[in-house]
Amino acid sequence: MERVSVRREVARDADAVRERMHNIEPFMLAAGFDEVRHTDSSVEIANEVGPVTIELFLELYDDPDADLAYRQVDGIFEEMTTTYTVTEGDGSTVIEAETEFALDAAIIGSFLDATVIKRQRRRELTAQLDYLE
């Protein structure tokens, strides 16, 4: 499994951060995705990465250690989960986002490899934390 994580300390109230995070469509659009569709328990995203359009179908799920969690149910990965945790600190809030993934080599081909995916995902998670800040 590959892993990408970002962490940020912000001068915002933890509840305000969580509330903004749970407004799923704007939060996912903040990552730079081209399309986002959200229902009660699922999210569909599409994003152009170079000449390739990547579509993922995600399921929101309860993770006792995370404030928000989703996993891919259909898409380019063999397996992919992302979690976000919000921790209230001493006068600040710490936000951590982590994606773990395994590539499905039969779908990816030679254009996208783990390095490209990690670089792209780090940009997406960083943009989401910018939005929460």
Side-chain angles (χ1 to χ4, degrees):
M1 290 285 273
E2 301 286 339
R3 179 176 298 177
V4 177
S5 63
V6 294
R7 181 181 190 276
R8 177 148 336 143
E9 189 170 339
V10 299
R12 288 192 64 132
D13 176 70
D15 290 335
V17 169
R18 286 184 189 100
E19 182 178 327
R20 194 160 185 164
M21 180 186 301
H22 284 279
N23 193 355
I24 299 295
E25 283 189 40
F27 181 57
M28 298 301 267
L29 285 168
F33 299 127
D34 298 314
E35 295 178 44
V36 176
R37 287 180 298 284
H38 171 244
T39 64
D40 290 340
S41 62
S42 68
V43 180
E44 296 176 33
I45 59 173
N47 199 32
E48 289 184 28
V49 180
V52 176
T53 298
I54 297 174
E55 293 181 309
L56 299 178
F57 298 87
L58 309 170
E59 169 188 54
L60 299 169
Y61 71 97
D62 289 326
D63 179 330
D65 297 323
D67 292 283
L68 177 65
Y70 55 83
R71 59 184 155 229
Q72 176 196 274
V73 292
D74 190 25
I76 64 166
F77 298 101
E78 183 177 315
E79 183 179 342
M80 188 279 292
T81 61
T82 298
T83 58
Y84 302 86
T85 57
V86 177
T87 308
E88 199 151 14
D90 192 21
S92 64
T93 298
V94 176
I95 311 163
E96 295 183 73
E98 180 176 273
T99 297
E100 291 186 318
F101 67 92
L103 293 173
D104 185 343
I107 293 176
I108 294 297
S110 62
F111 173 72
L112 295 175
D113 65 9
T115 303
V116 172
I117 297 292
K118 287 170 85 169
R119 188 176 319 121
Q120 177 68 25
R121 190 61 182 142
R122 186 169 283 106
R123 278 194 297 264
E124 293 164 356
L125 293 174
T126 299
Q128 286 181 310
L129 296 192
D130 290 346
Y131 171 80
L132 294 175
E133 189 170 23

